[in-house]
Amino acid sequence: DAGITQSPRHKVTETGTPVTLRCHQTENHRYMYWYRQDPGHGLRLIHYSYGVKDTDKGEVSDGYSVSRSKTEDFLLTLESATSSQTSVYFCATVAGPISTDTQYFGPGTRLTVL
Amino acid sequence: AQSVTQLGSHVSVSEGALVLLRCNYSSSVPPYLFWYVQYPNQGLQLLLKYTSAATLVKGINGFEAEFKKSETSFHLTKPSAHMSDAAEYFCAVSDLGGNEKLTFGTGTRLTIIP
């Protein structure tokens, strides 16, 4: 457990509304990640960050944006939620190089877009 | 790009029987490989990882995996299944391009039959 919390843990929203999910870590890890998990697709990377204000896109970044103004916080925003964004969202952090260091995951946020 | 394929989205074994979960990777160079486990309603946690040291890697909870370059495989095994092993298991490969990303397989749900 790397002290990762996600908020909210559950959210129901309507199509077209903006939604922001928060990931907070207490371990001062450099790298942070947002994934979505869907049946049959495993985990897919949305965006990631390799430092404050340094972010990059993952494989499913369309419709999502991120911000990291502090080491401990990584925000994921759905600019205008759609039903296809109904999913479970996981935040993860890594202290050092992901090729060798362990990636720690938060408990997840279940988002439903009606 | 790196990728992993997990054969079998669902695997059922009897308690006390051998557990074998299959993972094949595609890479032109030896990659770094990982197995993660997800218990119901939780985030993922690392089981074990291969980082080019010993080809037989031992992890937590009695699991191990063997890196076989000739077969491009990294199958996960446990000699004797326990009820507590029921979970979803994900194989993952590290992107060697220095992009600090993992690519996950689609997962295998393991059911233990009493």
Side-chain angles (χ1 to χ4, degrees):
Chain A
D1 184 1
I4 303 171
T5 56
Q6 293 185 230
S7 59
R9 293 292 314 279
H10 301 270
K11 185 171 182 66
V12 179
T13 191
E14 294 191 350
T15 298
T17 59
V19 176
T20 295
L21 308 183
R22 180 180 185 238
C23 176
H24 179 79
Q25 56 131 336
T26 60
E27 298 295 320
N28 203 38
H29 286 176
R30 177 183 175 186
Y31 301 94
M32 297 186 75
Y33 302 80
W34 277 109
Y35 294 93
R36 59 177 291 173
Q37 183 177 21
D38 305 287
H41 291 277
L43 269 76
R44 292 179 291 174
L45 181 64
I46 305 171
H47 282 279
Y48 65 108
S49 169
Y50 39 95
V52 173
K53 297 187 179 178
D54 287 328
T55 65
D56 206 346
K57 296 179 179 181
E59 63 177 298
V60 291
S61 60
D62 287 349
Y64 301 94
S65 62
V66 290
S67 66
R68 192 172 179 197
S69 59
K70 298 185 291 185
T71 298
E72 58 266 34
D73 289 326
F74 192 33
L75 304 180
L76 175 71
T77 297
L78 288 65
E79 294 139 10
S80 177
T82 67
S83 58
S84 65
Q85 294 176 313
T86 292
S87 186
V88 181
Y89 292 85
F90 287 98
C91 174
T93 73
V94 182
I98 201 169
S99 55
T100 54
D101 275 9
T102 298
Q103 192 169 46
Y104 294 95
F105 284 80
T109 293
R110 184 173 297 274
L111 175 68
T112 302
V113 183
L114 301 176
Chain B
Q2 316 286 348
S3 67
V4 289
T5 302
Q6 293 184 241
L7 299 176
S9 58
H10 292 86
V11 171
S12 296
V13 301
S14 298
E15 190 175 15
L18 171 71
V19 175
L20 171 60
L21 304 183
R22 301 177 187 273
C23 173
N24 289 88
Y25 67 90
S26 65
S27 174
S28 57
V29 296
Y32 296 136
L33 294 157
F34 307 79
W35 275 100
Y36 281 81
V37 61
Q38 183 181 31
Y39 298 104
N41 300 313
Q42 296 185 24
L44 281 69
Q45 62 185 84
L46 182 68
L47 265 181
L48 49 81
K49 59 185 176 184
Y50 166 75
T51 56
S52 74
T55 56
L56 182 62
V57 181
K58 294 187 183 299
I60 62 172
N61 301 336
F63 284 93
E64 63 182 34
E66 186 172 8
F67 174 74
K68 292 187 176 180
K69 183 179 177 181
S70 61
E71 299 177 7
T72 62
S73 68
F74 190 57
H75 301 332
L76 181 71
T77 60
K78 182 175 180 178
S80 177
H82 191 273
M83 295 300 294
S84 61
D85 295 327
E88 190 155 20
Y89 294 79
F90 293 92
C91 183
V93 62
S94 173
D95 188 333
L96 297 179
N99 294 326
E100 301 299 334
K101 297 185 291 185
L102 287 185
T103 299
F104 286 85
T106 53
T108 297
R109 183 168 299 279
L110 177 65
T111 299
I112 310 299
I113 303 167

